[in-house]
Amino acid sequence: MSTTQVRAASAGDRVRKRRRVPHKWAIVAFTVPFLVLFVLFYLVPIGYAVWQSLLVVEREGTFGEARQVFGGLAQYALVFQNTAFWTSVGRVLIFGIVQVPVMLGLALLFALLLDSPLIKGKKFFRLAFFVPYAVPGVIAAIMWGFLYSPNLSPFQALTSNVDLLSADFVLWSIANVVTWVFVGYNMLIIYSTLLAIPQEVYEAARIDGAGQARIAWSIKIPLVRPALVLTGVLSIIGTLQLLAEPQTFRSFSSAVTSTYTPNMTIYATSAVPNVSLAAAFSVVLALATFILSFTFLRLSRRGAQS
């Protein structure tokens, strides 16, 4: 064997040694439980929902026994003919166009205030901003529902003149509840990103004569853009899945119907019961959520590159 061949063989041995993964059984032991739970409680329910959406109910005669048979896309045809469902989709889209920018704007403002060296008592304010997120959505909706009620609210000077539970205002009353709950959560994500920015960047900006406002606008906001994109995607998903708050508001306002949001429509349809149509609603809603989130990510990436 020539010297070149010997060197090639030894180099191949070194590559194989480097490719050996140490503790591979430990990696498998930690990974397998997650994969099992992911398949059982995520992939299997999704697959079952898709299969259920392809079934229809048939009866032999008027009072015959009901049985489920494969119906193809028949349920999806009913979804696209359902006016109440698409009205609810349009309602939450209007909700999101207004509420999400307001919520993320407040979250960004609070995060910048907490990161500013001019603010004292940061631990108190950080806790105060985050505490509403610890309140369950149903409890928050009940609390705000009483505050909105003309007969029960301590702010009757306002609620007696402006009916915040009427058809004209109830959507924005719900938006206020969602904003109050989730501003602190989004603020914490943005604030964590601000803490990861090296202090040398700020010191260089101060040497160049930049003030706190200039540093926030030209350095902090551009650098927390990934956090804003993340919170934006999470907010889009949460908007289309809106359920707890409007469902609770049905006890306070007759303007909130059983089909007020897409998830409420799905819930009401499954209670009929028409599980197959509810599954078709769910699949269409999931696809719509994916498309909107993906579009938002693409637009955000394109804006960052321009």
Side-chain angles (χ1 to χ4, degrees), residues 9 55 63 77 167 224 244 268:
L55 302 179
F63 303 102
V224 299

Side-chain angles (χ1 to χ4, degrees), residues 260-283:
Y260 198 72
T261 67
N263 263 353
M264 291 178 68
T265 304
I266 295 169
Y267 181 79
T269 304
S270 64
V272 171
N274 192 342
V275 178
S276 296
L277 182 57
F281 280 139
S282 301
V283 173

Side-chain angles (χ1 to χ4, degrees), residues 82-293:
N82 193 293
T83 305
F85 177 73
W86 293 107
T87 301
S88 68
V89 172
R91 184 178 291 113
V92 296
L93 288 178
I94 295 173
F95 175 96
I97 289 171
V98 177
Q99 188 268 336
V100 171
V102 171
M103 177 178 64
L104 296 185
L106 289 173
L108 176 61
L109 176 62
F110 292 159
L112 291 173
L113 289 175
L114 287 177
D115 195 57
S116 173
L118 304 177
I119 301 298
K120 306 299 181 182
K122 293 183 180 181
K123 292 183 178 180
F124 169 77
F125 286 109
R126 183 168 65 239
L127 181 62
F129 292 151
F130 185 74
V131 159
Y133 181 69
V135 179
V138 174
I139 303 300
I142 293 173
M143 180 184 70
W144 280 98
F146 280 114
L147 292 176
Y148 293 146
S149 179
N151 299 324
L152 302 172
S153 175
F155 310 105
Q156 291 190 6
L158 172 64
T159 57
S160 59
N161 295 315
V162 181
D163 188 0
L164 298 174
L165 298 175
S166 65
D168 295 331
F169 292 100
V170 70
L171 181 65
W172 309 117
S173 298
I174 295 172
N176 178 63
V177 178
V178 176
T179 302
W180 181 79
V181 171
F182 286 98
V183 160
Y185 171 79
N186 293 301
M187 178 272 298
L188 201 62
I189 295 175
I190 299 171
Y191 182 59
S192 300
T193 306
L194 286 172
L195 293 178
I197 299 175
Q199 292 298 317
E200 292 81 3
V201 177
Y202 301 146
E203 293 175 2
R206 294 189 192 98
I207 292 173
D208 290 339
Q212 290 300 320
R214 184 65 175 175
I215 291 174
W217 180 258
S218 300
I219 297 177
K220 292 183 179 181
I221 293 178
L223 289 179
V224 299
R225 186 185 183 92
L228 291 173
V229 172
L230 172 63
T231 53
V233 172
L234 295 177
S235 299
I236 290 172
I237 296 172
T239 297
L240 290 172
Q241 293 181 347
L242 194 64
L243 176 64
E245 291 82 4
Q247 185 73 20
T248 305
F249 266 66
R250 291 191 65 192
S251 304
F252 298 96
S253 174
S254 59
V256 181
T257 63
S258 61
T259 58
Y260 198 72
T261 67
N263 263 353
M264 291 178 68
T265 304
I266 295 169
Y267 181 79
T269 304
S270 64
V272 171
N274 192 342
V275 178
S276 296
L277 182 57
F281 280 139
S282 301
V283 173
V284 171
L285 182 61
L287 290 175
T289 304
F290 171 77
I291 292 171
L292 284 175
S293 302

